[in-house]
Amino acid sequence: MKTAVVTAGTGGIGFETALGLATAGFKVTVVGRDADRGAKAVERINATQPAHPGRFLSADLASLDQVRALADRIAADHAASGEPLTVLVNNVGAMFAERADLGGVEASFVVNHLSPYLLTELLLPTLTAGAPSRIVNVTSGAVGVAKRVFDAVEPPGAYYGFHWYGRAKLANLAYTLDLARRLDGMGVSVFAADPGGAATDMTNGTLTDPKIVAPALRLLWPLVRRKFERSTSGPASAAARPSITAAADHALTGRTGLVIGPQAHPVAPFRAATDRRIAEAVRRLSETHAPPVARADA
């Protein structure tokens, strides 16, 4: 039995990833906020007559409390059924035009890094028990515009959504590569998947506001935006290929710590994500703001 959990799996790239894994023989659980969208996603998956019916679990992954409850539910279900958890795909992501707080922490950092970090850490015992297993974290080319300072959960200065999104994705990419080193030899392979781009709810309309980038880029933003929008105009099914490859390709068996690029082949990781100092700073922030184990003073 091959099983997979795909977060933000009710639409866009996440749904296409779930559909691709179901077609490849996985028993797939899709996670999302909206029960109606979840039911429709499962109905569409099951209409393809997969070997195993899909299911939906409701969770708002912007809430770390709900992430914890989700992890508890998944772990308990697999323990009760005896089925291994073979694949976890952290597909969730969001970009915010205006700064927002989620539990006192900047929203982009919560959704794009702390949430998948916490879910992964809480499910590591289940994934290890189900080895050989895989973790796939979806990354973004926006890491190239990120501030590379992680002394605090949020850097000083004005808020620019595109840069803050890239910074959160850089944190998660650094964590992914560091996790691969940490789990090497334990039967759990760890990959990052770069979808390149697709027309999704996140990209549609978000990029029209030049305030999402720093002033130095605003004069050039119409040109940059058009280029970015061209790269995000393809179908979600194509953008899901890197995640499906990372999760299911037999050619990757025994390998770990790779970035699977938009053409569904390994590519060199963004250099800053390989910096051990950045990984260590991200680890400290993550353990402080989303501790995977209860603190004694809690």
Side-chain angles (χ1 to χ4, degrees):
M1 172 71 73
K2 299 184 296 182
T3 65
V5 171
V6 181
T7 66
T10 62
I13 297 172
F15 170 75
E16 294 295 342
T17 300
L19 182 62
L21 292 178
T23 302
F26 284 78
K27 182 178 181 179
V28 177
T29 296
V30 295
V31 178
R33 291 178 299 178
D34 190 299
D36 288 339
R37 290 186 63 177
K40 290 176 182 177
V42 169
E43 182 180 1
R44 290 174 63 191
I45 289 170
N46 291 344
T48 66
Q49 297 183 328
H52 309 284
R55 71 164 179 167
F56 168 73
L57 289 180
S58 177
D60 182 353
L61 297 173
S63 164
L64 297 183
D65 286 341
Q66 292 196 36
V67 171
R68 293 181 189 279
L70 173 67
D72 287 346
R73 169 72 185 276
I74 293 170
D77 287 352
H78 282 276
S81 68
E83 297 172 352
L85 176 56
T86 331
V87 168
L88 170 64
V89 181
N90 286 305
N91 172 76
V92 67
M95 187 189 306
F96 300 89
E98 302 287 342
R99 188 190 183 283
D101 275 353
L102 292 174
V105 182
E106 188 271 317
S108 187
F109 201 78
V110 173
V111 176
N112 296 292
H113 173 60
L114 291 180
S115 172
Y117 158 82
L118 182 60
L119 184 62
T120 300
E121 292 291 323
L122 293 173
L123 288 177
L124 280 183
T126 306
L127 287 158
T128 302
S133 54
R134 300 186 187 187
I135 298 165
V136 181
N137 289 332
V138 176
T139 187
S140 168
V143 296
V145 299
K147 284 190 175 183
R148 304 173 193 179
V149 178
F150 294 95
D151 296 331
V153 72
E154 185 173 2
Y159 178 86
Y160 305 111
F162 191 63
H163 300 274
W164 264 235
Y165 168 75
R167 181 176 178 270
K169 284 295 189 181
L170 174 57
N172 195 249
L173 180 56
Y175 162 69
T176 300
L177 300 178
D178 187 58
L179 182 65
R181 291 188 289 266
R182 188 173 122 208
L183 300 181
D184 194 20
M186 297 178 63
V188 183
S189 296
V190 185
F191 302 100
D194 182 356
T200 66
D201 290 344
M202 188 183 78
T203 58
N204 290 339
T206 308
L207 302 176
T208 59
D209 186 351
K211 290 187 293 184
I212 67 170
V213 296
L217 286 181
R218 288 180 188 172
L219 289 177
L220 296 174
W221 184 239
L223 296 175
V224 175
R225 188 189 76 212
R226 281 196 291 272
K227 180 179 179 180
F228 190 80
E229 286 175 336
R230 282 196 298 271
S231 75
T232 58
S233 61
S237 57
R241 286 180 56 227
S243 293
I244 297 168
T245 297
D249 193 336
H250 293 298
L252 297 177
T253 299
R255 305 182 71 182
T256 192
L258 300 177
V259 178
I260 308 303
Q263 302 306 312
H265 298 296
V267 297
F270 184 58
R271 186 172 180 179
T274 67
D275 189 325
R276 296 290 185 95
R277 294 167 298 180
I278 288 180
E280 176 64 19
V282 168
R283 182 190 64 79
R284 289 194 299 268
L285 282 178
S286 304
E287 291 178 350
T288 298
H289 293 280
V293 294
R295 292 192 295 252
D297 60 349

